[in-house]
Amino acid sequence: MSIDLSTFNFSEISNYWAYALGIAVSFYGTVSWFSSKHLSKESKEHLSLWLWGSYESTWLRQFCLLFDAVFGRRHLSWACFLRSSVASFITVFILYFLLGDILQEKGRIGVYLDTKDLIIYALILNVISDYLSLFETRWLLNKFSSISSIWNQLALLAFDALITAGIIWFAIEAYLFVLGKPAPSLVELVAVFSIFSIFFYSTFLTSIWAWLYCLSSWCVRLISKTRLNELLDIEHNPGHQIALIGGIAIFLIIAILFPFFKDSELSNTSLFDRYLCDTFPKATCDDLARLSTNEKQTLFFLEKNC
């Protein structure tokens, strides 16, 4: 599948990269602030020693310590439940803000979602589901925290993401079943063709956090063994260095994916959308026909759907 660079608008690319930079900087600021204010001196020392390779451990154990610092050591407690609920609402509102232009103005989900509905849906779908997902992630990473192979760690994170997807998908299906309404397919949720996509993705907060922590900590650990180590203050601010690498990773990932998710000026659909129509025609082509502003492209989507 080729990428048509002729359809790119420089101002749109600049805005997109500014968007990516804003998310990356926000991530860095949040993680840095938290690590400096809430990580104990002992936790920072352990993290620094591991990043230097001074003792045998895994990033999983370090992440579990960070987990405890954020949500508390006792998961079955009101304090943990309240913190999880606050994190759920914050994530839902952030996603609503980030995807607002796509969902509302470009009509991707086909309906209007106001703030009142957003709060109600988050309360019904996310509070319990995210708390369960948080428990599952915490238990799974603690259970297998001794795994040292990077490939086994990545497989563990992928398994965690699958379980998380199952939890929130079941919650959405159950809610719509009670109301007697048809439920969106998993493909529609992933492709953001449903009003429930925001609540689906918000449940992945801890999973995304774990992926970024894994990527960042391994990068920092590799850098610590080179001359670039002089640029990082691993001894005094290990959390800041992980936040820095994580922020850079977020920016690069968003920037690299831009060509595949940018809407074409001719049809208001992206390369990723057209790939979904080719791969899952029954689940996506009708939505793309509704979105497309090109008559020829609309007919193509309708034919693929049939």
Side-chain angles (χ1 to χ4, degrees):
M1 184 177 291
S2 60
I3 300 175
D4 186 8
L5 297 177
S6 64
T7 63
F8 282 18
N9 181 284
F10 179 76
S11 61
E12 184 178 357
I13 295 175
S14 299
N15 291 336
Y16 186 90
W17 283 11
Y19 209 57
L21 182 62
I23 296 174
V25 171
S26 299
F27 173 84
Y28 170 76
T30 302
V31 175
S32 297
W33 172 82
F34 180 84
S35 63
S36 62
K37 296 293 184 181
H38 296 279
L39 279 185
S40 66
K41 184 179 179 180
E42 182 181 5
S43 297
K44 290 180 182 178
E45 290 176 352
H46 285 189
L47 183 57
S48 296
L49 289 172
W50 178 76
L51 291 173
W52 274 327
S54 299
Y55 75 99
E56 285 299 320
S57 183
T58 65
W59 71 264
L60 289 167
R61 290 176 180 168
Q62 306 305 319
F63 183 76
C64 290
L65 292 175
L66 187 61
F67 222 119
D68 292 343
V70 176
F71 296 101
R73 295 187 177 183
R74 294 178 60 247
H75 193 85
L76 300 179
S77 64
W78 283 110
C80 181
F81 179 76
L82 290 175
R83 292 179 184 183
S84 173
S85 301
V86 170
S88 296
F89 277 101
I90 292 175
T91 306
V92 165
F93 273 94
I94 289 176
L95 285 176
Y96 180 73
F97 170 74
L98 293 179
L99 299 176
D101 176 61
I102 298 173
L103 299 179
Q104 307 293 111
E105 295 181 15
K106 296 185 179 180
R108 192 173 181 89
I109 60 177
V111 296
Y112 180 77
L113 180 65
D114 60 23
T115 305
K116 179 182 176 181
D117 293 333
L118 188 74
I119 294 173
I120 294 174
Y121 281 134
L123 184 63
I124 296 173
L125 298 174
N126 284 109
V127 170
I128 300 298
S129 298
D130 292 1
Y131 182 66
L132 292 175
S133 174
L134 186 67
F135 176 77
E136 171 270 321
T137 300
R138 166 179 275 184
W139 180 87
L140 192 66
L141 298 188
N142 268 301
K143 181 72 174 179
F144 298 98
S145 61
S146 60
I147 293 178
S148 57
S149 168
I150 181 63
W151 299 111
N152 289 338
Q153 291 175 356
L154 293 177
L156 181 66
L157 290 177
F159 183 62
D160 167 64
L162 286 175
I163 297 177
T164 299
I167 291 173
I168 184 60
W169 190 22
F170 175 80
I172 294 172
E173 291 270 342
Y175 172 70
L176 293 176
F177 176 79
V178 171
L179 295 181
K181 296 182 179 180
S185 67
L186 184 59
V187 175
E188 289 177 299
L189 289 174
V190 173
V192 196
F193 284 127
S194 169
I195 193 175
F196 298 102
S197 294
I198 292 177
F199 314 101
F200 175 79
Y201 277 112
S202 68
T203 305
F204 288 86
L205 172 64
T206 51
S207 297
I208 294 173
W209 184 17
W211 277 96
L212 286 172
Y213 191 90
C214 173
L215 174 64
S216 303
S217 59
W218 274 109
C219 287
V220 173
R221 197 174 192 193
L222 290 174
I223 291 173
S224 69
K225 301 181 184 300
T226 68
R227 292 186 178 181
L228 294 175
N229 176 48
E230 299 176 1
L231 301 176
L232 301 178
D233 186 13
I234 296 177
E235 180 179 0
H236 300 101
N237 295 301
H240 287 218
Q241 314 318 312
I242 291 178
L244 175 63
I245 299 299
I248 293 174
I250 289 174
F251 176 78
L252 291 177
I253 290 171
I254 295 176
I256 290 171
L257 292 179
F258 171 73
F260 300 97
F261 291 91
K262 175 192 174 294
D263 288 342
S264 167
E265 295 178 359
L266 298 177
S267 66
N268 201 36
T269 57
S270 67
L271 286 171
F272 179 68
D273 289 331
R274 294 192 284 279
Y275 167 77
L276 288 174
C277 184
D278 290 335
T279 310
F280 308 100
K282 290 295 183 182
T284 60
C285 286
D286 56 340
D287 288 302
L288 291 173
R290 171 177 54 82
L291 286 175
S292 178
T293 55
N294 181 278
E295 184 177 351
K296 184 177 179 180
Q297 191 79 62
T298 300
L299 291 175
F300 171 78
F301 289 141
L302 290 173
E303 290 175 359
K304 289 285 289 184
N305 183 55
C306 293

